Amino acid sequence: MKMKLAVLTGGGDCPGLNGAVKWVTKSAMDSWLSSKRSINFEVIGVTEGWRGLVDVNPEDPKSLEKYIRPLDEETVRTWDRYGGTNLGTSRTNPFNPKNDRSEILLDNIKKLGVDVVVAIGGEDTLGAAYRLHKLGVKTVGIPKTIDNDLMGTDYSLGFDTAVNVIMEEIDRLRTTAGSHSRIFVVETMGRHAGWLALHGGECSGAYIILIPEYPFNLDEVAHLLQERKGREIRYAIIVVAEGAKVAGRDEFIQSGKMDEFGHVALGGIAKYVAEEIEARTSFETRHLTLSHLQRGGTPSAHDRLMARWYGIAAVDMIINEDFGRMASLQRGEITSAPLKECIGKLKLVDIEKNYDKDRYNGRRSIIG
């Protein structure tokens, strides 16, 4: 039996994507494994995410060359060492109600002879994969989002590397903050979930961490900083997620322009908090937005390992005909979860379990 797999990466890029593509390809085309199963796989990589499957013209060789890449073990041999995505990505939504191209998508999948689509992405990308599954296309998902906010899994590709970037940048920031006795407000990504800010802040020893799940009071932030003064501490680091909100206010919007999934760009909260702190305390305060630095760089050891495990699991799911599901990590074990249960709701920080509301930081009591 011959089966053709199409693998794509959608949404924001991050370290770990190339490793997932590598291990889908190597697991599917492994000659030793092939001799023990009844399926022979062909693997193609789709460039630019869902856009590639929508815009490709299967009857035009130039279009095929642009959007479709034949993959084999030799091609992907070194991919797991590199960040970003060699296949490219986009925020294209083939089911966008303002520009629904789902019929074109289905027609192209049929013309390309694709039997299974392996989608690597976050809630939006996997949401499109689920809708495709409901239309009769065999789909399998691999979780990717540096926000680590996907339901159905304890871990999403890219999160560990992004936390390491936050930690490393704050480590560098401390030298100049201490030299000038300044407060620095560092803005991380995190639209709805504060996992990046919380874990990045905890790892780097931030004094205050502000997250979307718990609106904060600026007077209380200022009080915490003033309370610290005189303890021979010359500076302070505050980490704030881009989606964090001042009590009674909405999040800060960088641009009102929406992407195809209905999202606007957030940003500007760090600048506002820094200005308000300086006005309330007279402490010299600066702000820094890490932005896309968090998506860059080579994958950490953990992301390389998870990419391997998820890629292998995706092929296992295909062999076992577990379609419409996503590879996942639950309680330390690799398993799978229905795509239906992984979209439509986000995994947010549990304030009572993980956050100290009085000190605006991680809890200092874990058990009990």
Side-chain angles (χ1 to χ4, degrees), residues 62-103:
K62 288 187 177 180
S63 180
L64 285 171
E65 184 179 354
K66 179 179 180 181
Y67 291 114
I68 304 298
R69 294 184 60 180
L71 299 178
D72 56 37
E73 291 188 82
E74 183 58 30
T75 300
V76 301
R77 184 176 61 84
T78 64
W79 280 26
D80 54 345
R81 307 172 195 174
Y82 305 106
T85 165
N86 291 351
L87 292 178
T89 186
S90 70
R91 294 192 182 277
T92 299
N93 179 9
F95 297 94
N96 184 350
K98 296 181 180 179
N99 183 23
D100 192 318
R101 289 164 289 177
S102 55
E103 288 189 14

Side-chain angles (χ1 to χ4, degrees), residues 320-356:
N320 295 329
E321 299 186 349
D322 292 332
F323 302 115
R325 299 178 71 86
M326 176 189 79
S328 72
L329 177 73
Q330 297 179 27
R331 299 180 182 272
E333 298 288 337
I334 298 295
T335 181
S336 68
L339 282 171
K340 183 179 181 180
E341 297 176 7
C342 303
I343 59 176
K345 182 181 179 182
L346 296 174
K347 180 183 69 182
L348 304 179
V349 173
D350 184 331
I351 296 299
E352 301 304 321
K353 183 179 178 181
N354 302 112
Y355 195 68
D356 186 331

Side-chain angles (χ1 to χ4, degrees), residues 63-341:
S63 180
L64 285 171
E65 184 179 354
K66 179 179 180 181
Y67 291 114
I68 304 298
R69 294 184 60 180
L71 299 178
D72 56 37
E73 291 188 82
E74 183 58 30
T75 300
V76 301
R77 184 176 61 84
T78 64
W79 280 26
D80 54 345
R81 307 172 195 174
Y82 305 106
T85 165
N86 291 351
L87 292 178
T89 186
S90 70
R91 294 192 182 277
T92 299
N93 179 9
F95 297 94
N96 184 350
K98 296 181 180 179
N99 183 23
D100 192 318
R101 289 164 289 177
S102 55
E103 288 189 14
I104 297 173
L105 177 67
L106 289 168
D107 189 50
N108 283 343
I109 289 172
K110 183 178 179 181
K111 287 179 178 177
L112 290 168
V114 170
D115 298 297
V116 182
V117 175
V118 180
I120 309 171
E123 188 198 19
D124 295 329
T125 300
L126 297 182
Y130 175 62
R131 296 189 68 171
L132 201 55
H133 169 68
K134 289 201 297 181
L135 292 174
V137 177
K138 296 173 181 176
T139 61
V140 165
I142 292 177
K144 174 279 313 177
T145 165
I146 64 171
D147 289 346
N148 203 34
D149 58 0
L150 267 173
M151 295 292 288
T153 183
D154 296 336
Y155 189 78
S156 298
L157 290 178
F159 179 66
D160 184 70
T161 306
V163 169
N164 274 280
V165 170
I166 295 169
M167 179 186 69
E168 290 165 5
E169 294 305 319
I170 291 177
D171 283 350
R172 293 183 176 94
L173 198 60
R174 285 186 181 280
T175 59
T176 184
S179 297
H180 293 273
S181 300
R182 287 172 176 159
I183 294 169
F184 269 90
V185 184
V186 180
E187 184 175 314
T188 71
M189 288 183 172
R191 176 180 296 274
H192 301 294
W195 295 112
L196 264 183
L198 182 60
H199 285 205
E202 288 177 326
C203 289
S204 59
Y207 181 53
I208 292 173
I209 303 170
L210 306 172
I211 60 177
E213 292 87 343
Y214 191 74
F216 61 92
N217 183 296
L218 279 163
D219 287 332
E220 292 178 11
V221 170
H223 174 72
L224 286 168
L225 291 166
Q226 289 168 327
E227 186 182 58
R228 198 184 198 206
K229 188 178 180 182
R231 290 194 239 162
E232 297 185 7
I233 299 170
R234 302 177 61 185
Y235 68 95
I237 302 292
I238 298 174
V239 175
V240 55
E242 63 182 355
K245 296 180 283 291
V246 179
R249 292 189 54 166
D250 294 329
E251 63 269 270
F252 281 70
I253 296 175
Q254 186 182 73
S255 168
K257 184 179 179 181
M258 287 190 178
D259 66 17
E260 292 198 21
F261 291 95
H263 303 310
V264 295
L266 301 183
I269 183 69
K271 181 177 184 292
Y272 175 79
V273 169
E275 290 172 348
E276 289 297 316
I277 287 172
E278 192 159 294
R280 283 170 163 80
T281 66
S282 297
F283 297 157
E284 189 176 359
T285 310
R286 298 287 186 270
H287 69 276
L288 176 71
T289 301
L290 294 181
S291 189
H292 289 78
L293 283 173
Q294 294 157 93
R295 294 194 180 280
T298 57
S300 65
H302 187 63
D303 271 321
R304 296 184 197 201
L305 187 61
M306 293 306 301
R308 176 189 175 107
W309 287 353
Y310 282 157
I312 292 170
V315 175
D316 286 343
M317 291 158 62
I318 293 167
I319 292 170
N320 295 329
E321 299 186 349
D322 292 332
F323 302 115
R325 299 178 71 86
M326 176 189 79
S328 72
L329 177 73
Q330 297 179 27
R331 299 180 182 272
E333 298 288 337
I334 298 295
T335 181
S336 68
L339 282 171
K340 183 179 181 180
E341 297 176 7

